[in-house]
Amino acid sequence: MFDSLSDRLGKIFDGLRGRGALSEADVDAALREIRRALIEADVSLEVVRAFVEQVRDRAIGVEVTRSVTPGQQVVKIVHDELVAVLGEAAVPISLNAVAPVTILMVGLQGSGKTTTTAKIAKRFKDRQNKKVLLASLDTRRPAAMEQLRVLGEQVGVATLPIVAGENPVQIARRAAREGKLGGFDILILDTAGRTHIDEELMAETAEIKAVSNPHEVLLVVDALTGQDAVNLARSFDQRVDITGIVMTRVDGDGRGGAALSMRAATGKPIKLIGTGEKMDALEDFHPSRIADRILGMGDIVSLVERAAEHVSAEDAQKMAKKLKKGSFDLDDLRGQLQQMKKMGGMNGLMSMMPGVGQMKKAMANSNIDEKVFDRQIAIIGSMTKKERAEPDLLNASRRKRIASGAGVEVSEINKLIKQHRQMADMMKKVSKGGMGSLAGMFGGKMGGMMGGMPDLSKMDPKQLEAMARQAGIDPKQLQQGMGAPAQPQLADKLPTDVGALFKSARGLPGLGGAPRFPGLPGLGKKK
């Protein structure tokens, strides 16, 4: 969703990074481009003005002039302010209330309320082992109640039985009663939507809220809504006092402005984002990680979390043992391909890798087919167990048979076998020579880097002290490895979270103070 904004900002920053010093004119020119990029991304005009004003205050001040790398410092300032716009920290759905904790879902028709309701229920059931009850209060849209019942069955969550003739308020009362009697932990109420905001919708939603007394009121908003998302969020907030926002279709080709505008304009946090049609395609909203993605810095933490969700510890241990032996057969390759598909395919993984903007463009221009994984899995599935374990058995006649069974050309079989052979060779090199052999595979660059590292244990203490001071490390930290009494480790003193690290550095020259924005509920008041 943020691709177009990320591309525009990337080009602006590329022009700044290459300069040794930045004048006020350079900063003004960059800010004009940033303003255009944000407006084109459908960010609300008032948010754009506040954002640019805050970046300007910091970018033409002492922060940048004292910095060794002014261009990089401007990027950091923009990163900090993006985090401020999106919210300083992730805010999960709160369950700190008497069971059953009631969650009211509100929003316009077509925003994905019903599907998101089922996704949230599945999330609580799978991750926290909660007993969830779903209830549809949408008596106007044809088959809306039936849709929620089917989705409830699909995710393994109970739904309130449908009783014809009841109005939404009566259904809400019955759902609350059933939630208590049935011993449910969470009750999620899915309200009716409209194609536009009207008084009837707001009055009905306010009455349902008064009856059900929800602990959370979540506004479901389509990420493709654009600038009107701000008006939508404010209207619902004024009438039903929303506690959070859930954005759907974040995987679409929208311009991302809604996410940057709603939190700043309402002060209410974005809690979850829908990243696909599947029932598990729902993620926590982490402002700092989204800012990293927008600025092309990747999102390694989310990538690791996604891998942990789809790769069991047992599978990882099995693979580690095989790699240690240098063994890698076609069953292993199939497992890797299936895991990659579950984690979002090549594009999904690439979007989280830092510094791959140009590579992503090259991939897009080369029209890489994501379905190639499906074909490769089908090819491996058409082989016998023995052929998968011993790829050398695959002669011409066997390859022809496999191609016929998988419905592909023999050339695709050849490509797959070549790909497997290359990966198997790499595994063997790693198992035999460790990191040294792996480094040699990268054209000797890594190997040269590793080979050029001095042996610290044989160096003169004065040399070590000089190296430490140059790197900005207290020389006393190096004494532990040289027989001196143990000193506190540097890692113990530094925050493990990157956001916390940035905050801890704000008192230093060149790193500025806390962000402030004029006149927007989510960004503090003008001083």
Side-chain angles (χ1 to χ4, degrees):
M1 182 179 74
F2 296 106
D3 284 351
S4 59
L5 178 58
S6 181
D7 289 344
R8 284 291 303 272
L9 293 179
K11 289 175 183 174
I12 296 167
F13 295 140
D14 284 345
L16 293 178
R17 287 192 187 99
R19 303 189 184 188
L22 292 180
S23 65
E24 189 171 333
D26 294 331
V27 174
D28 285 340
L31 287 175
R32 277 197 300 273
E33 291 301 316
I34 290 173
R35 182 195 296 271
R36 285 186 192 136
L38 292 173
I39 291 173
E40 286 180 12
D42 268 342
V43 181
S44 171
L45 188 58
E46 59 184 320
V47 177
V48 173
R49 284 173 179 161
F51 180 86
V52 172
E53 178 184 326
Q54 179 62 17
V55 173
R56 183 191 300 277
D57 287 347
R58 293 179 60 184
I60 63 176
V62 69
E63 259 183 273
V64 171
T65 55
R66 287 190 182 179
S67 174
V68 178
T69 56
Q72 293 285 10
Q73 191 65 20
V74 171
V75 175
K76 182 194 174 298
I77 291 169
V78 173
H79 178 276
D80 290 348
E81 303 312 328
L82 276 176
V83 173
V85 169
L86 294 167
E88 291 291 344
V91 182
I93 294 175
S94 171
L95 298 180
N96 188 21
V98 178
V101 179
T102 304
I103 300 172
L104 185 65
M105 308 292 288
V106 301
L108 296 185
Q109 187 174 313
S111 59
K113 283 194 309 301
T114 304
T115 305
T116 302
T117 299
K119 286 182 179 181
I120 293 173
K122 175 178 168 59
R123 188 182 181 86
F124 281 129
K125 179 180 79 77
D126 293 348
R127 296 192 178 190
Q128 300 182 32
N129 199 27
K130 298 292 185 183
K131 188 178 180 183
V132 186
L133 175 64
L134 301 180
S136 174
L137 278 57
D138 190 350
T139 58
R140 292 173 174 80
R141 183 165 63 89
M145 292 182 169
E146 184 65 19
Q147 181 190 0
L148 188 65
R149 185 190 66 77
V150 171
L151 288 172
E153 288 181 359
Q154 187 178 331
V155 299
V157 170
T159 55
L160 188 72
I162 301 170
V163 176
E166 283 188 331
N167 63 39
V169 175
Q170 292 170 331
I171 297 171
R173 287 200 181 101
R174 182 163 61 91
R177 188 168 60 251
E178 288 291 330
K180 289 178 182 177
L181 294 175
F184 288 93
D185 300 310
I186 299 169
L187 168 64
I188 306 181
L189 303 176
D190 177 29
T191 63
R194 300 286 191 281
T195 54
H196 63 280
I197 298 170
D198 58 28
E199 183 56 33
E200 186 186 358
L201 166 64
M202 292 302 181
E204 181 184 281
T205 307
E207 191 176 357
I208 291 168
K209 184 189 175 186
V211 169
S212 59
N213 190 27
H215 182 61
E216 288 268 16
V217 181
L218 299 180
L219 173 63
V220 182
V221 181
D222 190 331
L224 309 182
T225 305
Q227 291 205 13
D228 196 47
V230 173
N231 299 328
L232 169 67
R234 280 178 172 156
S235 298
F236 274 97
D237 190 33
Q238 288 166 4
R239 294 300 297 268
V240 296
D241 190 23
I242 62 174
T243 59
I245 298 165
V246 181
M247 289 192 67
T248 59
R249 299 193 199 175
V250 174
D251 58 321
D253 58 356
R255 288 177 279 188
L260 293 174
S261 302
M262 282 190 295
R263 193 268 173 191
T266 64
K268 301 303 167 72
I270 299 172
K271 297 199 171 188
L272 296 166
I273 52 175
T275 56
E277 294 295 326
K278 294 180 180 178
M279 286 294 111
D280 58 354
L282 192 68
E283 296 180 6
D284 292 319
F285 183 84
H286 294 273
S288 60
R289 299 185 194 177
I290 296 296
D292 285 346
R293 288 193 209 181
I294 292 173
L295 296 181
M297 298 175 184
D299 187 358
I300 295 298
V301 179
S302 293
L303 182 60
V304 172
E305 287 177 353
R306 190 178 290 185
E309 285 178 18
H310 295 100
V311 183
S312 67
E314 186 181 350
D315 289 341
Q317 286 176 351
K318 284 180 183 176
M319 181 56 69
K321 286 178 183 177
K322 286 194 131 190
L323 295 184
K324 197 170 183 181
K325 295 177 183 176
S327 169
F328 188 78
D329 60 25
L330 285 164
D331 275 324
D332 298 324
L333 178 58
R334 178 168 60 177
Q336 297 297 309
L337 292 171
Q338 287 170 338
Q339 285 172 9
M340 191 176 288
K341 273 194 65 184
K342 287 177 184 176
M343 291 171 65
M346 186 64 74
N347 287 329
L349 296 176
M350 292 290 284
S351 66
M352 295 186 177
M353 297 296 289
V356 294
Q358 297 301 320
M359 198 184 298
K360 279 178 70 179
K361 289 178 190 174
M363 286 176 63
N365 293 334
S366 61
N367 296 319
I368 291 180
D369 185 7
E370 287 280 348
K371 291 183 180 177
V372 71
F373 295 144
D374 295 321
R375 290 199 295 273
Q376 290 182 335
I377 292 169
I379 290 169
I380 297 173
S382 297
M383 298 176 186
T384 65
K385 189 175 181 180
K386 191 172 183 180
E387 287 169 343
R388 292 197 294 271
E390 301 178 44
D392 291 338
L393 294 174
L394 296 174
N395 56 27
S397 61
R398 286 177 185 255
R399 295 188 187 198
K400 192 173 180 181
R401 187 204 80 235
I402 293 165
S404 178
V408 298
E409 298 292 331
V410 176
S411 59
E412 290 203 45
I413 312 290
N414 298 336
K415 285 179 186 176
L416 177 65
I417 300 303
K418 184 179 179 182
Q419 176 184 332
H420 168 262
R421 190 180 298 119
Q422 289 171 341
M423 292 180 73
D425 289 344
M426 182 178 75
M427 301 308 174
K428 285 177 184 175
K429 284 190 178 183
V430 173
S431 66
K432 288 179 182 177
M435 287 302 292
S437 295
L438 183 62
M441 296 178 67
F442 293 95
K445 291 180 183 177
M446 227 172 124
M449 224 165 44
M450 292 177 175
M453 284 291 289
D455 186 348
L456 298 181
S457 63
K458 297 178 181 178
M459 286 185 69
D460 183 85
K462 290 183 179 179
Q463 287 179 293
L464 277 173
E465 185 175 333
M467 282 178 61
R469 291 189 188 284
Q470 190 175 358
I473 300 171
D474 184 355
K476 293 178 182 178
Q477 302 296 330
L478 298 173
Q479 293 175 3
Q480 184 180 355
M482 302 176 66
Q487 299 287 337
Q489 292 296 307
L490 188 63
D492 295 337
K493 298 181 179 180
L494 290 175
T496 54
D497 178 63
V498 176
L501 183 62
F502 279 158
K503 286 179 185 174
S504 68
R506 292 225 169 150
L508 299 175
L511 292 179
R516 54 177 176 74
F517 283 78
L520 291 173
L523 300 169
K525 295 181 180 178
K526 194 170 185 178
K527 292 183 180 178

